[in-house]
Amino acid sequence: MSTYFFGDTAVLTGRSMRHIFRSVDTIITTAITPIAMMLLFVYVLGGAIETGTDNYVNYLLPGIMLIAIASGIAYTAVRLFTDMKSGIFERFHSMPIARSSVLWAHVLTSLVANGLSVVIIVLVGLVMGFRTSAGLLAWLAVAGILALFTLALTWIAVLAGLSAKSVDGAAGFSYPLIFLPFISSAFVPTDTMPGPVRAFAENQPVTSIVNTIQNLFAQQPVGNDIWAALAWCLGILVLGYVLAIRVYRRQIS
């Protein structure tokens, strides 16, 4: 990568971020549904759910953060699709800029926007009683895992934005990802589930990520969950990146 790539990416990221800050409601909207779900589960259903913890919001918060990220990346796909259909991509390609910087600008914008949504959710969680004795290193580890998860799903969003035929198609890919935490350890322990459901829940990426974050917040050993979480995130990241770049090159060639 040349210095032009970094400079071009910085300029295009600034452009995307200006669009975000001109419509802050996008970030708020992304956070509202997960927050509503957190309120529902904690104050309505939480008393009937046995998780082995005294504070259900502590158990629930990691899964809610993942749901927020899964819903937030849909906006990345929509913004990318809109740029393609508006002709701005062709204008960028006619300029002496690094072509891959166009995609990376959307990816970095997704990281920032989803990070802000997660911060809002954590603040609401604190108001609802979320407490942790985790130190700085544990918080940094949580932030790193969430950033890696966001980056991995964002490249899937980029692939969807490049391949979609409509705005609804660009956003629709995220629905299965939003649903995935419901069949995981995000809301209840997996050992309460029937056999086939439990087998799926224990061998999908969300469970290992949720378990890792829960243990980091509780200052408990993370065990093998962290390695499974990293393997899933890196695998999805590499696959999404390779496929997105391949589709992008085919479209601009």
Side-chain angles (χ1 to χ4, degrees), residues 181-227:
F182 290 94
I183 314 177
S184 73
S185 62
F187 294 91
V188 296
T190 56
D191 56 15
T192 64
M193 302 175 182
V197 178
R198 177 179 178 179
F200 175 81
E202 291 180 346
N203 293 281
Q204 57 117 323
V206 170
T207 292
S208 59
I209 298 171
V210 165
N211 290 347
T212 299
I213 297 175
Q214 286 174 344
N215 288 330
L216 286 168
F217 280 149
Q219 290 191 309
Q220 299 293 326
V222 294
N224 292 325
D225 282 319
I226 190 169
W227 303 116

mmCIF file of all heavy atoms in Angstrom, residues 181-227:
data_model
loop_
_atom_site.group_PDB
_atom_site.id
_atom_site.type_symbol
_atom_site.label_atom_id
_atom_site.label_comp_id
_atom_site.label_asym_id
_atom_site.label_seq_id
_atom_site.Cartn_x
_atom_site.Cartn_y
_atom_site.Cartn_z
ATOM 1 N N PRO A 181 -27.922 -14.167 17.514
ATOM 2 C CA PRO A 181 -27.734 -14.154 18.971
ATOM 3 C C PRO A 181 -28.862 -14.805 19.761
ATOM 4 O O PRO A 181 -28.651 -15.232 20.894
ATOM 5 C CB PRO A 181 -27.643 -12.655 19.299
ATOM 6 C CG PRO A 181 -27.114 -12.037 18.042
ATOM 7 C CD PRO A 181 -27.762 -12.819 16.940
ATOM 8 N N PHE A 182 -30.069 -14.885 19.176
ATOM 9 C CA PHE A 182 -31.173 -15.510 19.901
ATOM 10 C C PHE A 182 -30.972 -17.018 20.054
ATOM 11 O O PHE A 182 -31.564 -17.635 20.944
ATOM 12 C CB PHE A 182 -32.500 -15.221 19.188
ATOM 13 C CG PHE A 182 -32.923 -13.784 19.283
ATOM 14 C CD1 PHE A 182 -32.603 -12.888 18.276
ATOM 15 C CD2 PHE A 182 -33.631 -13.325 20.383
ATOM 16 C CE1 PHE A 182 -32.986 -11.556 18.359
ATOM 17 C CE2 PHE A 182 -34.018 -11.999 20.483
ATOM 18 C CZ PHE A 182 -33.689 -11.111 19.475
ATOM 19 N N ILE A 183 -30.178 -17.616 19.161
ATOM 20 C CA ILE A 183 -29.876 -19.049 19.278
ATOM 21 C C ILE A 183 -28.420 -19.166 19.709
ATOM 22 O O ILE A 183 -27.563 -19.711 19.006
ATOM 23 C CB ILE A 183 -30.118 -19.795 17.943
ATOM 24 C CG1 ILE A 183 -31.448 -19.376 17.331
ATOM 25 C CG2 ILE A 183 -30.113 -21.302 18.176
ATOM 26 C CD1 ILE A 183 -31.725 -20.003 15.989
ATOM 27 N N SER A 184 -28.129 -18.617 20.851
ATOM 28 C CA SER A 184 -26.776 -18.620 21.398
ATOM 29 C C SER A 184 -26.887 -18.484 22.914
ATOM 30 O O SER A 184 -27.980 -18.570 23.478
ATOM 31 C CB SER A 184 -25.958 -17.455 20.821
ATOM 32 O OG SER A 184 -26.386 -16.222 21.381
ATOM 33 N N SER A 185 -25.767 -18.244 23.562
ATOM 34 C CA SER A 185 -25.773 -18.049 25.012
ATOM 35 C C SER A 185 -26.029 -16.596 25.387
ATOM 36 O O SER A 185 -25.845 -16.212 26.538
ATOM 37 C CB SER A 185 -24.431 -18.493 25.591
ATOM 38 O OG SER A 185 -23.372 -17.705 25.051
ATOM 39 N N ALA A 186 -26.475 -15.780 24.433
ATOM 40 C CA ALA A 186 -26.652 -14.343 24.696
ATOM 41 C C ALA A 186 -27.777 -14.066 25.675
ATOM 42 O O ALA A 186 -27.706 -13.108 26.449
ATOM 43 C CB ALA A 186 -26.904 -13.602 23.389
ATOM 44 N N PHE A 187 -28.848 -14.867 25.661
ATOM 45 C CA PHE A 187 -30.009 -14.612 26.501
ATOM 46 C C PHE A 187 -30.182 -15.648 27.608
ATOM 47 O O PHE A 187 -30.655 -15.332 28.696
ATOM 48 C CB PHE A 187 -31.276 -14.554 25.644
ATOM 49 C CG PHE A 187 -31.296 -13.391 24.696
ATOM 50 C CD1 PHE A 187 -30.793 -13.513 23.413
ATOM 51 C CD2 PHE A 187 -31.802 -12.166 25.088
ATOM 52 C CE1 PHE A 187 -30.797 -12.429 22.541
ATOM 53 C CE2 PHE A 187 -31.821 -11.084 24.227
ATOM 54 C CZ PHE A 187 -31.304 -11.210 22.944
ATOM 55 N N VAL A 188 -29.843 -16.889 27.309
ATOM 56 C CA VAL A 188 -29.932 -17.962 28.310
ATOM 57 C C VAL A 188 -28.739 -18.889 28.115
ATOM 58 O O VAL A 188 -28.175 -18.979 27.014
ATOM 59 C CB VAL A 188 -31.243 -18.773 28.172
ATOM 60 C CG1 VAL A 188 -32.454 -17.908 28.437
ATOM 61 C CG2 VAL A 188 -31.333 -19.411 26.788
ATOM 62 N N PRO A 189 -28.325 -19.604 29.164
ATOM 63 C CA PRO A 189 -27.246 -20.587 29.001
ATOM 64 C C PRO A 189 -27.648 -21.669 28.012
ATOM 65 O O PRO A 189 -28.810 -22.079 27.958
ATOM 66 C CB PRO A 189 -27.073 -21.160 30.414
ATOM 67 C CG PRO A 189 -27.638 -20.127 31.332
ATOM 68 C CD PRO A 189 -28.762 -19.481 30.573
ATOM 69 N N THR A 190 -26.707 -22.136 27.225
ATOM 70 C CA THR A 190 -27.021 -23.128 26.197
ATOM 71 C C THR A 190 -27.422 -24.478 26.776
ATOM 72 O O THR A 190 -28.087 -25.260 26.096
ATOM 73 C CB THR A 190 -25.811 -23.331 25.262
ATOM 74 O OG1 THR A 190 -24.664 -23.705 26.043
ATOM 75 C CG2 THR A 190 -25.496 -22.059 24.502
ATOM 76 N N ASP A 191 -27.051 -24.769 28.031
ATOM 77 C CA ASP A 191 -27.399 -26.074 28.593
ATOM 78 C C ASP A 191 -28.879 -26.199 28.941
ATOM 79 O O ASP A 191 -29.349 -27.266 29.341
ATOM 80 C CB ASP A 191 -26.539 -26.404 29.823
ATOM 81 C CG ASP A 191 -26.630 -25.333 30.905
ATOM 82 O OD1 ASP A 191 -27.555 -24.493 30.840
ATOM 83 O OD2 ASP A 191 -25.774 -25.334 31.807
ATOM 84 N N THR A 192 -29.643 -25.112 28.776
ATOM 85 C CA THR A 192 -31.095 -25.173 28.987
ATOM 86 C C THR A 192 -31.836 -25.498 27.690
ATOM 87 O O THR A 192 -33.061 -25.655 27.708
ATOM 88 C CB THR A 192 -31.617 -23.830 29.521
ATOM 89 O OG1 THR A 192 -31.423 -22.802 28.535
ATOM 90 C CG2 THR A 192 -30.898 -23.435 30.803
ATOM 91 N N MET A 193 -31.119 -25.602 26.580
ATOM 92 C CA MET A 193 -31.746 -25.796 25.269
ATOM 93 C C MET A 193 -31.860 -27.274 24.925
ATOM 94 O O MET A 193 -31.069 -28.096 25.399
ATOM 95 C CB MET A 193 -30.921 -25.077 24.191
ATOM 96 C CG MET A 193 -30.749 -23.591 24.421
ATOM 97 S SD MET A 193 -29.643 -22.834 23.182
ATOM 98 C CE MET A 193 -29.591 -21.144 23.758
ATOM 99 N N PRO A 194 -32.838 -27.640 24.075
ATOM 100 C CA PRO A 194 -32.927 -29.021 23.600
ATOM 101 C C PRO A 194 -31.695 -29.400 22.782
ATOM 102 O O PRO A 194 -31.018 -28.522 22.228
ATOM 103 C CB PRO A 194 -34.178 -29.023 22.718
ATOM 104 C CG PRO A 194 -34.797 -27.695 22.844
ATOM 105 C CD PRO A 194 -33.875 -26.774 23.559
ATOM 106 N N GLY A 195 -31.428 -30.693 22.670
ATOM 107 C CA GLY A 195 -30.203 -31.200 22.059
ATOM 108 C C GLY A 195 -29.772 -30.572 20.750
ATOM 109 O O GLY A 195 -28.675 -29.982 20.668
ATOM 110 N N PRO A 196 -30.572 -30.648 19.675
ATOM 111 C CA PRO A 196 -30.142 -30.096 18.379
ATOM 112 C C PRO A 196 -29.908 -28.588 18.421
ATOM 113 O O PRO A 196 -28.956 -28.080 17.824
ATOM 114 C CB PRO A 196 -31.308 -30.445 17.439
ATOM 115 C CG PRO A 196 -32.000 -31.582 18.095
ATOM 116 C CD PRO A 196 -31.858 -31.354 19.568
ATOM 117 N N VAL A 197 -30.795 -27.874 19.145
ATOM 118 C CA VAL A 197 -30.632 -26.419 19.262
ATOM 119 C C VAL A 197 -29.365 -26.099 20.034
ATOM 120 O O VAL A 197 -28.599 -25.188 19.673
ATOM 121 C CB VAL A 197 -31.863 -25.789 19.941
ATOM 122 C CG1 VAL A 197 -31.672 -24.287 20.098
ATOM 123 C CG2 VAL A 197 -33.125 -26.084 19.153
ATOM 124 N N ARG A 198 -29.128 -26.859 21.105
ATOM 125 C CA ARG A 198 -27.925 -26.636 21.907
ATOM 126 C C ARG A 198 -26.669 -26.891 21.086
ATOM 127 O O ARG A 198 -25.692 -26.131 21.180
ATOM 128 C CB ARG A 198 -27.948 -27.550 23.132
ATOM 129 C CG ARG A 198 -26.697 -27.438 23.997
ATOM 130 C CD ARG A 198 -26.782 -28.345 25.204
ATOM 131 N NE ARG A 198 -25.575 -28.273 25.996
ATOM 132 C CZ ARG A 198 -25.372 -28.946 27.130
ATOM 133 N NH1 ARG A 198 -26.333 -29.748 27.593
ATOM 134 N NH2 ARG A 198 -24.240 -28.822 27.794
ATOM 135 N N ALA A 199 -26.690 -27.943 20.269
ATOM 136 C CA ALA A 199 -25.520 -28.261 19.441
ATOM 137 C C ALA A 199 -25.209 -27.116 18.487
ATOM 138 O O ALA A 199 -24.044 -26.738 18.300
ATOM 139 C CB ALA A 199 -25.759 -29.559 18.674
ATOM 140 N N PHE A 200 -26.271 -26.548 17.876
ATOM 141 C CA PHE A 200 -26.059 -25.413 16.976
ATOM 142 C C PHE A 200 -25.560 -24.199 17.745
ATOM 143 O O PHE A 200 -24.612 -23.530 17.331
ATOM 144 C CB PHE A 200 -27.354 -25.072 16.246
ATOM 145 C CG PHE A 200 -27.261 -23.833 15.391
ATOM 146 C CD1 PHE A 200 -26.689 -23.884 14.131
ATOM 147 C CD2 PHE A 200 -27.720 -22.608 15.864
ATOM 148 C CE1 PHE A 200 -26.590 -22.738 13.342
ATOM 149 C CE2 PHE A 200 -27.624 -21.460 15.088
ATOM 150 C CZ PHE A 200 -27.058 -21.530 13.827
ATOM 151 N N ALA A 201 -26.210 -23.915 18.886
ATOM 152 C CA ALA A 201 -25.869 -22.720 19.664
ATOM 153 C C ALA A 201 -24.421 -22.756 20.135
ATOM 154 O O ALA A 201 -23.734 -21.723 20.152
ATOM 155 C CB ALA A 201 -26.810 -22.588 20.855
ATOM 156 N N GLU A 202 -23.951 -23.913 20.525
ATOM 157 C CA GLU A 202 -22.599 -24.009 21.077
ATOM 158 C C GLU A 202 -21.517 -24.024 20.005
ATOM 159 O O GLU A 202 -20.331 -23.923 20.334
ATOM 160 C CB GLU A 202 -22.492 -25.268 21.945
ATOM 161 C CG GLU A 202 -23.308 -25.175 23.227
ATOM 162 C CD GLU A 202 -23.200 -26.415 24.088
ATOM 163 O OE1 GLU A 202 -22.709 -27.457 23.565
ATOM 164 O OE2 GLU A 202 -23.591 -26.358 25.271
ATOM 165 N N ASN A 203 -21.924 -24.136 18.743
ATOM 166 C CA ASN A 203 -20.932 -24.209 17.673
ATOM 167 C C ASN A 203 -21.140 -23.129 16.621
ATOM 168 O O ASN A 203 -20.851 -23.321 15.442
ATOM 169 C CB ASN A 203 -20.974 -25.598 17.015
ATOM 170 C CG ASN A 203 -20.519 -26.689 17.944
ATOM 171 O OD1 ASN A 203 -19.329 -26.892 18.150
ATOM 172 N ND2 ASN A 203 -21.464 -27.404 18.543
ATOM 173 N N GLN A 204 -21.646 -21.995 17.048
ATOM 174 C CA GLN A 204 -21.775 -20.852 16.158
ATOM 175 C C GLN A 204 -21.003 -19.686 16.784
ATOM 176 O O GLN A 204 -20.747 -19.677 17.993
ATOM 177 C CB GLN A 204 -23.248 -20.518 15.908
ATOM 178 C CG GLN A 204 -24.053 -20.230 17.170
ATOM 179 C CD GLN A 204 -24.574 -18.806 17.186
ATOM 180 O OE1 GLN A 204 -23.878 -17.896 16.737
ATOM 181 N NE2 GLN A 204 -25.778 -18.609 17.700
ATOM 182 N N PRO A 205 -20.612 -18.701 15.992
ATOM 183 C CA PRO A 205 -19.668 -17.678 16.470
ATOM 184 C C PRO A 205 -20.157 -16.824 17.626
ATOM 185 O O PRO A 205 -19.371 -16.431 18.487
ATOM 186 C CB PRO A 205 -19.409 -16.823 15.226
ATOM 187 C CG PRO A 205 -20.522 -17.130 14.280
ATOM 188 C CD PRO A 205 -20.909 -18.532 14.553
ATOM 189 N N VAL A 206 -21.452 -16.514 17.681
ATOM 190 C CA VAL A 206 -21.938 -15.576 18.688
ATOM 191 C C VAL A 206 -21.720 -16.111 20.098
ATOM 192 O O VAL A 206 -21.347 -15.359 21.008
ATOM 193 C CB VAL A 206 -23.428 -15.254 18.455
ATOM 194 C CG1 VAL A 206 -24.008 -14.465 19.634
ATOM 195 C CG2 VAL A 206 -23.602 -14.455 17.165
ATOM 196 N N THR A 207 -21.937 -17.408 20.304
ATOM 197 C CA THR A 207 -21.799 -17.977 21.647
ATOM 198 C C THR A 207 -20.386 -17.813 22.190
ATOM 199 O O THR A 207 -20.185 -17.407 23.342
ATOM 200 C CB THR A 207 -22.200 -19.458 21.651
ATOM 201 O OG1 THR A 207 -23.608 -19.562 21.410
ATOM 202 C CG2 THR A 207 -21.879 -20.117 22.985
ATOM 203 N N SER A 208 -19.382 -18.118 21.386
ATOM 204 C CA SER A 208 -18.000 -17.986 21.866
ATOM 205 C C SER A 208 -17.648 -16.529 22.143
ATOM 206 O O SER A 208 -16.934 -16.230 23.113
ATOM 207 C CB SER A 208 -17.024 -18.588 20.843
ATOM 208 O OG SER A 208 -17.142 -17.946 19.585
ATOM 209 N N ILE A 209 -18.154 -15.606 21.327
ATOM 210 C CA ILE A 209 -17.879 -14.183 21.542
ATOM 211 C C ILE A 209 -18.574 -13.688 22.807
ATOM 212 O O ILE A 209 -17.976 -12.992 23.637
ATOM 213 C CB ILE A 209 -18.319 -13.358 20.321
ATOM 214 C CG1 ILE A 209 -17.525 -13.765 19.081
ATOM 215 C CG2 ILE A 209 -18.137 -11.866 20.585
ATOM 216 C CD1 ILE A 209 -18.039 -13.165 17.787
ATOM 217 N N VAL A 210 -19.849 -14.055 22.977
ATOM 218 C CA VAL A 210 -20.601 -13.658 24.166
ATOM 219 C C VAL A 210 -19.952 -14.212 25.429
ATOM 220 O O VAL A 210 -19.766 -13.500 26.422
ATOM 221 C CB VAL A 210 -22.072 -14.129 24.057
ATOM 222 C CG1 VAL A 210 -22.767 -14.055 25.415
ATOM 223 C CG2 VAL A 210 -22.830 -13.287 23.044
ATOM 224 N N ASN A 211 -19.603 -15.504 25.396
ATOM 225 C CA ASN A 211 -18.984 -16.120 26.574
ATOM 226 C C ASN A 211 -17.676 -15.424 26.951
ATOM 227 O O ASN A 211 -17.379 -15.204 28.128
ATOM 228 C CB ASN A 211 -18.721 -17.602 26.324
ATOM 229 C CG ASN A 211 -19.996 -18.418 26.261
ATOM 230 O OD1 ASN A 211 -21.065 -17.945 26.636
ATOM 231 N ND2 ASN A 211 -19.901 -19.639 25.782
ATOM 232 N N THR A 212 -16.896 -15.079 25.936
ATOM 233 C CA THR A 212 -15.625 -14.400 26.182
ATOM 234 C C THR A 212 -15.837 -13.042 26.843
ATOM 235 O O THR A 212 -15.179 -12.704 27.838
ATOM 236 C CB THR A 212 -14.846 -14.220 24.868
ATOM 237 O OG1 THR A 212 -14.566 -15.512 24.299
ATOM 238 C CG2 THR A 212 -13.532 -13.481 25.102
ATOM 239 N N ILE A 213 -16.770 -12.254 26.314
ATOM 240 C CA ILE A 213 -17.023 -10.928 26.869
ATOM 241 C C ILE A 213 -17.605 -11.027 28.276
ATOM 242 O O ILE A 213 -17.231 -10.265 29.177
ATOM 243 C CB ILE A 213 -17.953 -10.122 25.940
ATOM 244 C CG1 ILE A 213 -17.271 -9.890 24.584
ATOM 245 C CG2 ILE A 213 -18.333 -8.792 26.572
ATOM 246 C CD1 ILE A 213 -18.150 -9.211 23.554
ATOM 247 N N GLN A 214 -18.535 -11.970 28.474
ATOM 248 C CA GLN A 214 -19.106 -12.155 29.810
ATOM 249 C C GLN A 214 -18.015 -12.484 30.827
ATOM 250 O O GLN A 214 -17.996 -11.934 31.936
ATOM 251 C CB GLN A 214 -20.142 -13.282 29.783
ATOM 252 C CG GLN A 214 -21.453 -12.912 29.107
ATOM 253 C CD GLN A 214 -22.386 -14.099 28.965
ATOM 254 O OE1 GLN A 214 -21.962 -15.239 29.098
ATOM 255 N NE2 GLN A 214 -23.650 -13.837 28.709
ATOM 256 N N ASN A 215 -17.092 -13.372 30.461
ATOM 257 C CA ASN A 215 -16.022 -13.758 31.378
ATOM 258 C C ASN A 215 -15.044 -12.608 31.625
ATOM 259 O O ASN A 215 -14.528 -12.455 32.735
ATOM 260 C CB ASN A 215 -15.280 -14.979 30.833
ATOM 261 C CG ASN A 215 -16.106 -16.249 30.927
ATOM 262 O OD1 ASN A 215 -16.935 -16.394 31.828
ATOM 263 N ND2 ASN A 215 -15.904 -17.168 29.999
ATOM 264 N N LEU A 216 -14.782 -11.817 30.603
ATOM 265 C CA LEU A 216 -13.899 -10.666 30.785
ATOM 266 C C LEU A 216 -14.516 -9.655 31.751
ATOM 267 O O LEU A 216 -13.842 -9.109 32.623
ATOM 268 C CB LEU A 216 -13.603 -10.011 29.435
ATOM 269 C CG LEU A 216 -12.636 -10.773 28.517
ATOM 270 C CD1 LEU A 216 -12.650 -10.170 27.116
ATOM 271 C CD2 LEU A 216 -11.216 -10.740 29.085
ATOM 272 N N PHE A 217 -15.814 -9.394 31.594
ATOM 273 C CA PHE A 217 -16.490 -8.469 32.496
ATOM 274 C C PHE A 217 -16.532 -9.000 33.929
ATOM 275 O O PHE A 217 -16.478 -8.235 34.888
ATOM 276 C CB PHE A 217 -17.921 -8.197 32.011
ATOM 277 C CG PHE A 217 -18.015 -7.187 30.898
ATOM 278 C CD1 PHE A 217 -19.021 -7.260 29.946
ATOM 279 C CD2 PHE A 217 -17.106 -6.145 30.807
ATOM 280 C CE1 PHE A 217 -19.122 -6.315 28.932
ATOM 281 C CE2 PHE A 217 -17.190 -5.204 29.789
ATOM 282 C CZ PHE A 217 -18.202 -5.294 28.856
ATOM 283 N N ALA A 218 -16.668 -10.331 34.055
ATOM 284 C CA ALA A 218 -16.750 -10.939 35.389
ATOM 285 C C ALA A 218 -15.380 -11.278 35.956
ATOM 286 O O ALA A 218 -15.295 -11.831 37.049
ATOM 287 C CB ALA A 218 -17.602 -12.204 35.322
ATOM 288 N N GLN A 219 -14.323 -10.970 35.213
ATOM 289 C CA GLN A 219 -12.959 -11.296 35.620
ATOM 290 C C GLN A 219 -12.784 -12.790 35.885
ATOM 291 O O GLN A 219 -12.154 -13.203 36.851
ATOM 292 C CB GLN A 219 -12.559 -10.482 36.856
ATOM 293 C CG GLN A 219 -12.360 -8.995 36.578
ATOM 294 C CD GLN A 219 -11.707 -8.256 37.733
ATOM 295 O OE1 GLN A 219 -12.154 -8.354 38.864
ATOM 296 N NE2 GLN A 219 -10.618 -7.560 37.443
ATOM 297 N N GLN A 220 -13.389 -13.581 34.986
ATOM 298 C CA GLN A 220 -13.272 -15.031 35.040
ATOM 299 C C GLN A 220 -12.372 -15.505 33.906
ATOM 300 O O GLN A 220 -12.203 -14.812 32.894
ATOM 301 C CB GLN A 220 -14.653 -15.680 34.908
ATOM 302 C CG GLN A 220 -15.626 -15.313 36.007
ATOM 303 C CD GLN A 220 -15.207 -15.871 37.349
ATOM 304 O OE1 GLN A 220 -14.631 -16.956 37.430
ATOM 305 N NE2 GLN A 220 -15.497 -15.129 38.417
ATOM 306 N N PRO A 221 -11.763 -16.695 34.030
ATOM 307 C CA PRO A 221 -10.940 -17.223 32.933
ATOM 308 C C PRO A 221 -11.767 -17.387 31.657
ATOM 309 O O PRO A 221 -12.906 -17.873 31.706
ATOM 310 C CB PRO A 221 -10.475 -18.591 33.464
ATOM 311 C CG PRO A 221 -10.585 -18.479 34.950
ATOM 312 C CD PRO A 221 -11.755 -17.579 35.213
ATOM 313 N N VAL A 222 -11.212 -16.981 30.546
ATOM 314 C CA VAL A 222 -11.953 -17.046 29.282
ATOM 315 C C VAL A 222 -11.849 -18.407 28.620
ATOM 316 O O VAL A 222 -12.629 -18.727 27.715
ATOM 317 C CB VAL A 222 -11.460 -15.948 28.306
ATOM 318 C CG1 VAL A 222 -11.791 -14.576 28.846
ATOM 319 C CG2 VAL A 222 -9.964 -16.076 28.033
ATOM 320 N N GLY A 223 -10.895 -19.226 29.045
ATOM 321 C CA GLY A 223 -10.762 -20.574 28.494
ATOM 322 C C GLY A 223 -10.524 -20.584 26.997
ATOM 323 O O GLY A 223 -9.874 -19.685 26.434
ATOM 324 N N ASN A 224 -11.110 -21.581 26.351
ATOM 325 C CA ASN A 224 -10.934 -21.723 24.899
ATOM 326 C C ASN A 224 -11.890 -20.847 24.101
ATOM 327 O O ASN A 224 -11.772 -20.757 22.878
ATOM 328 C CB ASN A 224 -11.130 -23.180 24.483
ATOM 329 C CG ASN A 224 -10.027 -24.080 25.008
ATOM 330 O OD1 ASN A 224 -8.872 -23.670 25.100
ATOM 331 N ND2 ASN A 224 -10.380 -25.313 25.369
ATOM 332 N N ASP A 225 -12.860 -20.218 24.783
ATOM 333 C CA ASP A 225 -13.848 -19.405 24.069
ATOM 334 C C ASP A 225 -13.187 -18.272 23.297
ATOM 335 O O ASP A 225 -13.611 -17.935 22.192
ATOM 336 C CB ASP A 225 -14.875 -18.832 25.045
ATOM 337 C CG ASP A 225 -15.910 -19.863 25.462
ATOM 338 O OD1 ASP A 225 -16.350 -20.628 24.595
ATOM 339 O OD2 ASP A 225 -16.267 -19.895 26.645
ATOM 340 N N ILE A 226 -12.154 -17.671 23.874
ATOM 341 C CA ILE A 226 -11.530 -16.536 23.197
ATOM 342 C C ILE A 226 -10.857 -16.965 21.903
ATOM 343 O O ILE A 226 -10.882 -16.235 20.903
ATOM 344 C CB ILE A 226 -10.525 -15.818 24.130
ATOM 345 C CG1 ILE A 226 -10.083 -14.500 23.480
ATOM 346 C CG2 ILE A 226 -9.327 -16.716 24.448
ATOM 347 C CD1 ILE A 226 -9.307 -13.608 24.414
ATOM 348 N N TRP A 227 -10.294 -18.173 21.887
ATOM 349 C CA TRP A 227 -9.645 -18.643 20.661
ATOM 350 C C TRP A 227 -10.685 -18.978 19.600
ATOM 351 O O TRP A 227 -10.479 -18.703 18.409
ATOM 352 C CB TRP A 227 -8.758 -19.854 20.958
ATOM 353 C CG TRP A 227 -7.726 -19.555 21.991
ATOM 354 C CD1 TRP A 227 -7.605 -20.110 23.237
ATOM 355 C CD2 TRP A 227 -6.654 -18.599 21.888
ATOM 356 N NE1 TRP A 227 -6.544 -19.567 23.917
ATOM 357 C CE2 TRP A 227 -5.946 -18.645 23.114
ATOM 358 C CE3 TRP A 227 -6.241 -17.724 20.896
ATOM 359 C CZ2 TRP A 227 -4.837 -17.830 23.360
ATOM 360 C CZ3 TRP A 227 -5.140 -16.905 21.138
ATOM 361 C CH2 TRP A 227 -4.456 -16.969 22.352
#
